[in-house]
Amino acid sequence: MAQVMMSEVIPLHSSEGQRLRTETSQKALHYQPILYKIFQKQFNSTYCGLVSSIMAMNANFIGQHGHFQDGSPHVPFTEANIFTFKETQNILKQSEVEKEGCTLEQVHDLIRAHGYNSVLYHAADSSLEEFCAKAKCALNQNSLTSVIINYDLKVIYPHQNVGGHFSPLCAYHEESDRFLILDTWPKTEECWVKSDHLFNSMNTVDPSVSKTRGYIIVSK
């Protein structure tokens, strides 16, 4: 499977990356302003799945209730409090997540345990065309629907010593056929990636479950 070369990744905060975001946000089609505003990097090195879930659920919550105080979001879930909920404790053991992280199925089950809808797709059982169609549709729901991807970070950034990873998608730029990944890993930047390259990064095997990675559509 071909790897994505660095030149094919457009950092969000580059001039080109900002141009793509501006064009996407102005069209207000495949763009989620709430998710963009509440985006945060993970603090714990194994919490990418948790942080991605937290952002998706919080974006949905704000999208429904509009809870902003003094311009800042008032959200129910944080990286610090997620394990205080019985819904989380029934699905995950904190000690295991801190050691090994989460699988795609565990993130799916966690979201459902908190009362949100979650539809899971393994890349091997999906296709590039299906992924693009579902992701674009979800990104057009003004943060009421989110997309969490489970992918091999080394396919996007070959120099990183990180394999399986989770992050939410925030936007899709139609003309360049690129998705905006709000990368939760502290050592890499949010970036625009071509749809086929992104799908290739999901179509990799998670050795802990012997299944391909994939994506989750989250809604309420």
Side-chain angles (χ1 to χ4, degrees):
M1 184 179 299
Q3 288 187 328
V4 179
M5 301 305 293
M6 288 296 294
S7 61
E8 298 182 48
V9 175
I10 300 177
L12 170 62
H13 297 295
S14 67
S15 58
E16 178 67 4
Q18 285 298 296
R19 182 186 69 81
L20 297 180
R21 188 185 78 84
T22 299
E23 290 182 1
T24 306
S25 63
Q26 287 176 343
K27 292 181 179 179
L29 287 175
H30 311 301
Y31 179 68
Q32 299 199 331
I34 295 175
L35 185 62
Y36 184 80
K37 187 167 186 177
I38 67 172
F39 169 67
Q40 61 183 24
K41 294 284 191 179
Q42 65 195 85
F43 292 107
N44 190 304
S45 63
T46 59
Y47 275 27
C48 57
L50 289 179
V51 170
S52 297
S53 304
I54 288 167
M55 285 189 284
M57 294 189 293
N58 283 342
N60 185 290
F61 179 84
I62 295 171
Q64 291 190 78
H65 304 288
H67 284 193
F68 279 85
Q69 297 177 349
D70 300 323
S72 299
H74 173 67
V75 296
F77 306 107
T78 67
E79 187 172 347
N81 77 8
I82 190 65
F83 275 105
T84 66
F85 293 93
K86 289 185 178 180
E87 293 87 347
T88 303
Q89 297 169 11
N90 290 337
I91 299 298
L92 300 170
K93 292 184 178 180
Q94 186 171 1
S95 60
E96 292 181 357
V97 175
E98 290 178 347
K99 182 180 179 180
E100 301 177 354
C102 297
T103 66
L104 186 62
E105 284 82 0
Q106 287 174 324
V107 170
H108 167 70
D109 291 341
L110 172 67
I111 292 167
R112 294 184 65 185
H114 281 279
Y116 291 81
N117 298 318
S118 175
V119 183
L120 182 157
Y121 300 89
H122 286 283
D125 301 323
S126 184
S127 66
L128 172 61
E129 292 74 21
E130 181 183 37
F131 163 67
C132 288
K134 292 187 178 298
K136 288 163 63 177
C137 180
L139 293 171
N140 200 28
Q141 300 302 312
N142 196 25
S143 298
L144 294 178
T145 305
S146 299
V147 185
I148 296 174
I149 57 171
N150 179 210
Y151 59 112
D152 188 338
L153 189 62
K154 293 193 300 295
V155 175
I156 306 298
Y157 287 107
H159 68 283
Q160 285 294 320
N161 190 29
V162 177
H165 187 48
F166 288 90
S167 291
L169 298 180
C170 182
Y172 175 75
H173 187 265
E174 193 83 42
E175 289 77 10
S176 65
D177 187 31
R178 291 180 183 271
F179 284 96
L180 174 57
I181 305 174
L182 293 184
D183 194 341
T184 64
W185 185 240
K187 297 182 180 180
T188 50
E189 188 175 352
E190 305 83 78
C191 61
W192 293 91
V193 179
K194 284 278 192 179
S195 62
D196 57 345
H197 297 151
L198 181 56
F199 187 79
N200 285 344
S201 73
M202 293 187 290
N203 197 19
T204 53
V205 175
D206 178 351
S208 69
V209 292
S210 299
K211 296 180 181 179
T212 56
R213 301 176 174 93
Y215 56 101
I216 294 172
I217 307 295
V218 183
S219 62
K220 186 65 174 177

